[in-house]
Amino acid sequence: MKDGKLFGKLNIVDAIVILIIIAAAVFLGIRYIGGKDEGPAGHREITYTVTVPAAPVKVYEEIKAMIPGTMMANGSLLPATVDSIEAFPCELEYIEFKNSMNAEETYILSPSGEYVKLIITCSAKLSQSDIKNMLGTQEIRVGKAHIVKTVDFEITGQITSMRDK
C-alpha cells in the first residue's frame, strides 16, 4: 500500500463504504426478496367455523352454489378458502337494526320469508409467528365477529370454533 491506497486509486475508506453498501444490498435482498420462506414451522393451517344465526334461504342457496371459494380482503386473494356451508332451521321473531347515525336508535322489523342458521367451514394458512392470527385484515379467534368474503359473496357471522388441521 502506497499512501493508504488499495488496488490502485481505491483507498481503505472507499473499500469500507463499498463493503457496507454490498452488505446492505445483500441484507435487503434476503429480507424482501428471499425472506418469504419462514421455514418448516413458518405457517400453520387451521380450520374454523363461522355461524350466521339467521340468513334468508335464498341467500343460502346462492352461496352454496359458489362454494368452494377463495377468500379475499382489500381486493386481494388470501391463503384461505370457504370449504362448506350447512343450513339448519331457525325461528326468527324479529330483526333488529341499529341506526348508523344514532347508536341509541334501533329498528325492529318483522321478518318475511324463510330463514336458516348457517354454519360455514373455512380453512386458512396463518403465519406461525403472528400471535393475532391475522387473516387479511381480520383476527381469527373464537367469539369474534367475522366477515366471510370471496369474489362472489360476503356474509357476516361469528367464529364458533377453531382448530389446527
Side-chain angles (χ1 to χ4, degrees), residues 25-39 42-43 127 129:
V26 169
F27 172 77
L28 291 174
I30 291 171
R31 173 99 168 129
Y32 294 106
I33 297 171
K36 299 293 182 195
D37 184 16
E38 297 180 16
H43 291 94
S127 174
S129 62

Short mmCIF file of all heavy atoms in Angstrom, two decimals, residues 25-39 42-43 127 129:
data_model
loop_
_atom_site.label_atom_id
_atom_site.label_comp_id
_atom_site.label_asym_id
_atom_site.label_seq_id
_atom_site.Cartn_x
_atom_site.Cartn_y
_atom_site.Cartn_z
N ALA A 25 -27.13 -4.28 0.61
CA ALA A 25 -27.86 -4.83 -0.53
C ALA A 25 -28.19 -6.31 -0.31
O ALA A 25 -29.30 -6.76 -0.60
CB ALA A 25 -27.06 -4.64 -1.81
N VAL A 26 -27.24 -7.06 0.21
CA VAL A 26 -27.47 -8.49 0.49
C VAL A 26 -28.55 -8.64 1.56
O VAL A 26 -29.47 -9.46 1.44
CB VAL A 26 -26.15 -9.18 0.91
CG1 VAL A 26 -26.41 -10.57 1.47
CG2 VAL A 26 -25.19 -9.26 -0.27
N PHE A 27 -28.46 -7.85 2.62
CA PHE A 27 -29.46 -7.91 3.69
C PHE A 27 -30.85 -7.61 3.17
O PHE A 27 -31.80 -8.35 3.43
CB PHE A 27 -29.10 -6.92 4.81
CG PHE A 27 -30.17 -6.78 5.85
CD1 PHE A 27 -30.36 -7.76 6.80
CD2 PHE A 27 -31.01 -5.67 5.86
CE1 PHE A 27 -31.36 -7.65 7.75
CE2 PHE A 27 -32.01 -5.54 6.80
CZ PHE A 27 -32.18 -6.54 7.75
N LEU A 28 -31.00 -6.52 2.40
CA LEU A 28 -32.31 -6.15 1.86
C LEU A 28 -32.81 -7.20 0.87
O LEU A 28 -34.00 -7.49 0.82
CB LEU A 28 -32.24 -4.77 1.21
CG LEU A 28 -32.03 -3.61 2.18
CD1 LEU A 28 -31.82 -2.31 1.41
CD2 LEU A 28 -33.19 -3.48 3.14
N GLY A 29 -31.91 -7.75 0.08
CA GLY A 29 -32.31 -8.79 -0.86
C GLY A 29 -32.86 -10.02 -0.16
O GLY A 29 -33.89 -10.56 -0.54
N ILE A 30 -32.19 -10.44 0.89
CA ILE A 30 -32.66 -11.61 1.65
C ILE A 30 -33.96 -11.27 2.37
O ILE A 30 -34.89 -12.07 2.39
CB ILE A 30 -31.58 -12.08 2.65
CG1 ILE A 30 -30.40 -12.68 1.89
CG2 ILE A 30 -32.14 -13.07 3.64
CD1 ILE A 30 -29.19 -12.96 2.76
N ARG A 31 -34.03 -10.10 2.93
CA ARG A 31 -35.19 -9.69 3.74
C ARG A 31 -36.44 -9.56 2.90
O ARG A 31 -37.51 -10.01 3.28
CB ARG A 31 -34.87 -8.37 4.43
CG ARG A 31 -36.01 -7.75 5.16
CD ARG A 31 -35.93 -8.06 6.61
NE ARG A 31 -36.87 -7.23 7.32
CZ ARG A 31 -37.73 -7.70 8.17
NH1 ARG A 31 -37.71 -8.97 8.46
NH2 ARG A 31 -38.57 -6.91 8.77
N TYR A 32 -36.36 -8.91 1.75
CA TYR A 32 -37.55 -8.60 0.97
C TYR A 32 -37.79 -9.47 -0.25
O TYR A 32 -38.90 -9.56 -0.73
CB TYR A 32 -37.54 -7.13 0.56
CG TYR A 32 -37.66 -6.22 1.74
CD1 TYR A 32 -36.58 -5.52 2.22
CD2 TYR A 32 -38.86 -6.12 2.43
CE1 TYR A 32 -36.68 -4.70 3.33
CE2 TYR A 32 -38.98 -5.31 3.54
CZ TYR A 32 -37.89 -4.60 3.99
OH TYR A 32 -38.01 -3.81 5.08
N ILE A 33 -36.77 -10.12 -0.74
CA ILE A 33 -36.96 -10.97 -1.91
C ILE A 33 -36.93 -12.44 -1.52
O ILE A 33 -37.84 -13.18 -1.81
CB ILE A 33 -35.90 -10.68 -3.00
CG1 ILE A 33 -36.05 -9.24 -3.49
CG2 ILE A 33 -36.01 -11.66 -4.15
CD1 ILE A 33 -34.94 -8.77 -4.39
N GLY A 34 -35.90 -12.86 -0.84
CA GLY A 34 -35.75 -14.26 -0.48
C GLY A 34 -36.24 -14.59 0.91
O GLY A 34 -36.20 -15.73 1.32
N GLY A 35 -36.76 -13.63 1.66
CA GLY A 35 -37.13 -13.88 3.04
C GLY A 35 -38.56 -14.33 3.24
O GLY A 35 -39.06 -14.36 4.35
N LYS A 36 -39.28 -14.67 2.19
CA LYS A 36 -40.68 -15.07 2.33
C LYS A 36 -40.83 -16.46 2.96
O LYS A 36 -41.82 -16.75 3.57
CB LYS A 36 -41.38 -15.05 0.97
CG LYS A 36 -41.41 -13.69 0.33
CD LYS A 36 -42.26 -12.73 1.12
CE LYS A 36 -42.32 -11.40 0.43
NZ LYS A 36 -42.81 -10.33 1.22
N ASP A 37 -39.88 -17.33 2.77
CA ASP A 37 -39.96 -18.67 3.33
C ASP A 37 -39.58 -18.62 4.81
O ASP A 37 -38.48 -18.28 5.16
CB ASP A 37 -39.01 -19.61 2.58
CG ASP A 37 -39.13 -21.04 3.06
OD1 ASP A 37 -40.12 -21.36 3.74
OD2 ASP A 37 -38.22 -21.83 2.74
N GLU A 38 -40.54 -18.97 5.66
CA GLU A 38 -40.31 -18.91 7.09
C GLU A 38 -39.87 -20.26 7.66
O GLU A 38 -39.93 -20.48 8.85
CB GLU A 38 -41.57 -18.43 7.80
CG GLU A 38 -41.97 -17.03 7.39
CD GLU A 38 -43.22 -16.55 8.10
OE1 GLU A 38 -43.61 -17.17 9.10
OE2 GLU A 38 -43.80 -15.57 7.65
N GLY A 39 -39.47 -21.14 6.79
CA GLY A 39 -39.01 -22.44 7.26
C GLY A 39 -40.17 -23.41 7.44
O GLY A 39 -41.32 -23.09 7.19
N GLY A 42 -43.01 -22.20 9.60
CA GLY A 42 -43.38 -20.82 9.30
C GLY A 42 -44.88 -20.57 9.24
O GLY A 42 -45.33 -19.48 9.52
N HIS A 43 -45.65 -21.57 8.86
CA HIS A 43 -47.09 -21.41 8.76
C HIS A 43 -47.80 -22.54 9.48
O HIS A 43 -47.25 -23.61 9.67
CB HIS A 43 -47.52 -21.42 7.29
CG HIS A 43 -47.07 -20.21 6.53
ND1 HIS A 43 -45.91 -20.19 5.82
CD2 HIS A 43 -47.62 -18.98 6.41
CE1 HIS A 43 -45.77 -19.00 5.27
NE2 HIS A 43 -46.78 -18.24 5.62
N SER A 127 -49.59 -17.25 9.63
CA SER A 127 -48.18 -17.19 9.99
C SER A 127 -48.00 -17.72 11.40
O SER A 127 -48.74 -17.35 12.32
CB SER A 127 -47.69 -15.74 9.92
OG SER A 127 -46.38 -15.66 10.41
N SER A 129 -45.69 -17.07 13.44
CA SER A 129 -45.16 -16.06 14.35
C SER A 129 -46.18 -14.97 14.70
O SER A 129 -45.92 -14.14 15.55
CB SER A 129 -43.92 -15.41 13.74
OG SER A 129 -44.26 -14.77 12.53
#
